[in-house]
Amino acid sequence: DSHRADILSYFAWKAFKAGDHEEASKCFLALETALRDKGELGGELEKAVYIQASCSKQVAAFDRFLSEFPESELVPRALSEKAQALLVTGDFDAAFQTLEILSEHYPEAPSSRPALASLIVAAVDAERFDVADQVLARMLSDKNSHSESVYLSTGKALLHATQFALAEKAFSAVPLTAQKKFVEHALIGRASAWFGLKQFEKSLQTLETLLIEYPSTGLFYDARLMQARAHVALGQNGEALIAFSEVISAQQDYALVFEMAQLMTDPEERLAAYQRIALLANPDKWQTDR
């Protein structure tokens, strides 16, 4: 029938818009066959082949589309979705190479930015830190290409994975001119990374910047506790005791009281700290915390 392709197109798009991707795939395959039989090799065929790939999430299907329609405006989306499909299979190297092509040839494509961010998170989850390093380098080559929240979430994921050097790079991408909520978390993230790298002086300097720039920050006690522990690592017990005291006065955490007591040189002061724990703390909670 001369209207066969039109009818197939109607049912294909109806299924696709309804979210029935399995049915849409079947209909678009039938539409593709009908269009090829009629010799119609233009935009409708292009979309039919692309949507089959998008619905199936199969790497081979994306390769078929990219091979036949290399000049299509849908190529950036196809590359991004292909990279995601490769991530699902665990082929991080191929996913990174695909995104390299995407960012190199289509730097302004909306799909290129979130694709890189999702790749680095997946690479960290899979402990492919070599790939994470390469992706982060690509992201940092144009710091303005991603939002502050992306760099913060990336830094936190790397920090959690104890990849401190990479985490510090990610947090550093947040400029000091950004919004307060981003800068605060970036600074304490950097300080945590320096602490993990045993660069305690740099950790203290970063925390000092945070507390000077934002003296009323909600991260004040987190920062002071980290400062206390950095001072301990540097053998600066006097400064550490002051910082511990500030935190404990606000939080009444007896695990921290015990930690602070280890620094006390006066036997009576140390005994008083232990008695405070024994008399006032919840033993079950304290044992859990320790």
Side-chain angles (χ1 to χ4, degrees):
D1 187 282
S2 61
H3 296 290
R4 175 176 174 78
D6 296 331
I7 295 169
L8 287 170
S9 178
Y10 167 79
F11 283 112
W13 284 107
K14 182 179 180 181
F16 181 72
K17 290 175 181 178
D20 187 349
H21 288 178
E22 183 177 355
E23 180 64 21
S25 244
K26 293 177 183 177
C27 290
F28 275 111
L29 176 59
L31 174 60
E32 177 190 348
T33 302
L35 291 171
R36 291 190 189 280
D37 287 345
K38 291 177 64 177
E40 296 184 9
L41 307 178
E44 193 171 5
L45 176 65
E46 179 184 308
K47 291 178 182 177
V49 176
Y50 165 74
I51 291 178
Q52 288 177 69
S54 186
C55 288
S56 70
K57 308 299 182 189
Q58 297 296 313
V59 174
F62 287 114
D63 284 338
R64 183 168 79 96
F65 169 77
L66 293 167
S67 174
E68 186 169 3
F69 304 101
E71 303 302 322
S72 170
E73 63 180 15
L74 295 170
V75 165
R77 289 171 58 183
L79 286 168
S80 177
E81 290 182 59
K82 177 186 173 181
Q84 297 300 318
L86 287 164
L87 285 181
V88 172
T89 66
D91 195 342
F92 293 95
D93 295 309
F96 177 67
Q97 290 169 6
T98 302
L99 290 176
E100 281 280 274
I101 295 170
L102 173 59
S103 59
E104 182 179 345
H105 294 284
Y106 306 95
E108 301 303 320
S111 53
S112 64
R113 296 176 183 179
L116 275 174
S118 62
L119 175 56
I120 197 169
V121 172
V124 170
D125 288 343
E127 298 186 352
R128 285 298 306 274
F129 301 118
D130 57 328
V131 174
D133 191 6
Q134 294 177 69
V135 177
L136 184 59
R138 167 64 70 177
M139 291 169 66
L140 295 178
S141 64
D142 181 8
K143 292 183 181 180
N144 295 327
S145 63
H146 292 80
S147 67
E148 287 87 355
S149 60
V150 168
Y151 288 118
L152 287 178
S153 61
T154 299
K156 288 175 182 177
L158 290 164
L159 202 61
H160 182 73
T162 68
Q163 296 299 301
F164 301 119
L166 291 178
E168 200 281 328
K169 289 181 182 178
F171 287 124
S172 295
V174 178
L176 294 177
T177 54
Q179 291 184 42
K180 175 176 177 284
K181 61 180 180 179
F182 296 128
V183 178
E184 288 178 310
H185 286 280
L187 286 171
I188 203 161
R190 289 188 69 191
S192 298
W194 286 127
F195 193 99
L197 291 166
K198 302 188 185 303
Q199 298 286 324
F200 302 114
E201 287 285 2
K202 289 185 177 181
S203 181
L204 285 170
Q205 290 168 8
T206 306
L207 292 167
E208 190 69 20
T209 300
L210 169 63
L211 296 176
I212 289 173
E213 292 294 325
Y214 306 105
S216 61
T217 177
L219 299 171
F220 179 85
Y221 292 109
D222 293 320
R224 287 299 278 152
L225 179 56
M226 196 184 305
Q227 282 185 323
R229 289 169 173 162
H231 282 307
V232 171
L234 292 169
Q236 300 165 350
N237 290 356
E239 292 88 339
L241 284 169
I242 294 170
F244 270 125
S245 297
E246 286 186 26
V247 176
I248 291 167
S249 66
Q251 297 184 1
Q252 293 296 306
D253 186 324
Y254 295 101
L256 293 181
V257 175
F258 183 84
E259 192 174 342
M260 182 178 72
Q262 310 309 300
L263 307 176
M264 294 176 175
T265 56
D266 187 318
E268 291 186 4
E269 289 183 356
R270 181 179 291 190
L271 178 60
Y274 289 150
Q275 287 176 331
R276 182 182 182 187
I277 295 169
L279 293 173
L280 301 178
N282 181 331
D284 294 331
K285 178 181 184 303
W286 186 77
Q287 288 291 341
T288 302
D289 289 344
R290 295 305 299 167

